[in-house]
Amino acid sequence: DQVSQCHDQVSQCHGQVSHCAAVLVEAQQVCSSLEAVGLVPDAEVVAGLEQALASRDANPEVLDKAAGEAAELAQQLEEKGHTKEAADVARLEGKLRAASTAGAEAQNKHKEQQAQEEARASVGEMQQVAAALREDGDSGAADEIEVVVELMHSDPSVEDLESAAVEGKKAVARLEGEGKQAEAMGERVSKLEETAVAVQEVKETSVVLEQEQTATQAVDEVLAEAEQVCSSLEAVGLVPDAEVVAGLEQALASRDANPEVLDKAAGEAAELAQQLEEKGHTKEAADVARLEGKLRAASTAGAEAQNKHKEQQAQEEARASVGEMQQVAAALRLSLIHI
């Protein structure tokens, strides 16, 4: 299991490096295209992003910041009428966000591995405490600790860790009564509780990242469908209608699954489908209607990703509040002891 986890982590790291390399290639191309049309100040912004990513091990925070700068530049270019260049920068933004997600996944895998290593270390230390107690003839206390050990395995779940902590506290209470190794055992139990929180955080982050990836894939499907619809409209001479779809493509070039943007695009697609139907272009209307369906599905996926992120934030805030209350309780206990 440990070897498998290491392989998974290495694979995640390779994925992050691959994404960063793709971002650098895209950034170089965008920089050159901006310079070619005389947009030198804008090219310098992209060159700055290149420099920030040159190490190829940029963390998600750096990549998110770069994506934000790219989004801002794309909007400025759009406002100045440089539609094609804006779409190019938006595509760069999409690659930056993909690289950020890959980096977050690698970080999460590393955190998971660390938590499992800490759990294994705590189990090993508990086994040593149990062995020492058995040598002293206290097989009852040793048996209680071994109950905790048996709840653990190479890949413990949050529930396993929480159950082990509960049983561990029982063993600590017994040891306190006997005046034997209670402090040492208590430290191990505290470590199990910390590990349970870490594993829960990893689990929550995995859910959020998975939903974000689903949302991005949904936008990718929309872009592929939009490209096909645009080509089919051009093929039958419906150039103005094709330009409407091309506009939707440009609005989604960053692959950002923003539900508001996607809903707006779906509304425009619905309106276009109706116009085509009224003009007798039944097949083309059906194609655009399919595009509308994919846009609405992508919007739903984006909204679900947003909700998962909010849910994670709420859980983190709840844990922080519990931690603060525990600190207050500990301080009160200490003050009572000193009275």
Side-chain angles (χ1 to χ4, degrees):
D1 285 346
Q2 197 168 357
V3 171
S4 175
Q5 288 160 12
C6 286
H7 284 166
D8 285 346
Q9 191 178 349
V10 169
S11 176
Q12 290 282 348
C13 289
H14 283 167
Q16 183 186 7
V17 170
S18 174
H19 277 289
C20 284
V23 167
L24 282 169
V25 170
E26 186 77 19
Q28 287 162 1
Q29 291 174 350
V30 171
C31 194
S32 297
S33 67
L34 289 170
E35 287 175 343
V37 293
L39 297 170
V40 177
D42 302 305
E44 286 172 356
V45 173
V46 177
L49 300 182
E50 279 187 75
Q51 289 171 355
L53 303 171
S55 65
R56 296 198 178 189
D57 62 352
N59 62 42
E61 290 73 24
V62 171
L63 289 160
D64 278 339
K65 183 174 181 291
E69 291 175 19
E72 189 177 340
L73 177 59
Q75 186 176 349
Q76 290 169 357
L77 288 166
E78 185 70 41
E79 288 169 357
K80 289 188 286 186
H82 300 292
T83 309
K84 179 190 175 299
E85 290 74 21
D88 290 342
V89 176
R91 271 195 300 277
L92 172 60
E93 179 200 347
K95 288 186 184 293
L96 282 161
R97 294 198 189 281
S100 174
T101 300
E105 286 172 352
Q107 282 186 348
N108 204 43
K109 274 289 177 189
H110 182 63
K111 185 176 180 179
E112 181 182 19
Q113 187 181 22
Q114 280 185 317
Q116 289 168 344
E117 285 171 359
E118 286 171 6
R120 282 191 288 270
S122 295
V123 168
E125 290 164 358
M126 286 182 188
Q127 287 172 325
Q128 290 173 359
V129 172
L133 287 167
R134 207 173 290 284
E135 278 183 20
D136 289 343
D138 194 346
S139 59
D143 288 344
E144 282 199 23
I145 293 172
E146 284 175 0
V147 167
V148 179
V149 171
E150 284 170 9
L151 287 167
M152 306 292 288
H153 47 82
S154 61
D155 185 15
S157 66
V158 176
E159 292 74 19
D160 294 331
L161 289 161
E162 288 175 345
S163 297
V166 169
E167 294 302 321
K169 285 178 181 177
K170 292 178 186 176
V172 170
R174 175 170 180 156
L175 292 170
E176 282 175 345
E178 296 176 1
K180 297 178 181 178
Q181 302 211 41
E183 186 177 349
M185 186 62 186
E187 288 174 1
R188 275 65 178 178
V189 171
S190 294
K191 181 57 72 176
L192 283 180
E193 289 179 315
E194 290 171 10
T195 304
V197 171
V199 170
Q200 180 62 31
E201 288 174 348
V202 165
K203 184 178 175 183
E204 289 166 7
T205 301
S206 293
V207 170
V208 170
L209 290 172
E210 186 178 342
Q211 189 58 54
E212 285 179 352
Q213 195 170 37
T214 299
T216 301
Q217 286 171 349
V219 175
D220 286 341
E221 287 182 18
V222 166
L223 285 168
E225 185 76 19
E227 190 176 348
Q228 290 176 358
V229 171
C230 194
S231 297
S232 66
L233 289 170
E234 287 175 344
V236 293
L238 297 170
V239 177
D241 302 305
E243 285 173 357
V244 173
V245 177
L248 299 183
E249 280 188 79
Q250 288 169 357
L252 302 172
S254 69
R255 299 165 71 229
D256 182 16
N258 183 316
E260 290 75 22
V261 172
L262 289 160
D263 279 340
K264 183 174 181 290
E268 291 175 19
E271 188 177 339
L272 177 59
Q274 186 176 348
Q275 290 170 357
L276 287 166
E277 186 70 42
E278 288 169 356
K279 289 187 286 186
H281 300 292
T282 310
K283 178 189 175 298
E284 289 73 20
D287 290 342
V288 176
R290 259 197 316 276
L291 174 60
E292 179 202 347
K294 287 188 182 290
L295 281 161
R296 297 205 185 279
S299 174
T300 300
E304 286 173 359
Q306 285 185 348
N307 287 338
K308 287 293 180 187
H309 185 64
K310 286 178 185 175
E311 186 181 326
Q312 184 188 30
Q313 283 182 317
Q315 289 166 334
E316 286 172 356
E317 287 169 8
R319 276 193 294 268
S321 296
V322 169
E324 288 166 5
M325 286 189 279
Q326 287 172 334
Q327 288 175 354
V328 171
L332 288 170
R333 277 195 294 272
L334 280 173
S335 64
L336 289 170
I337 290 169
H338 290 129
I339 292 174

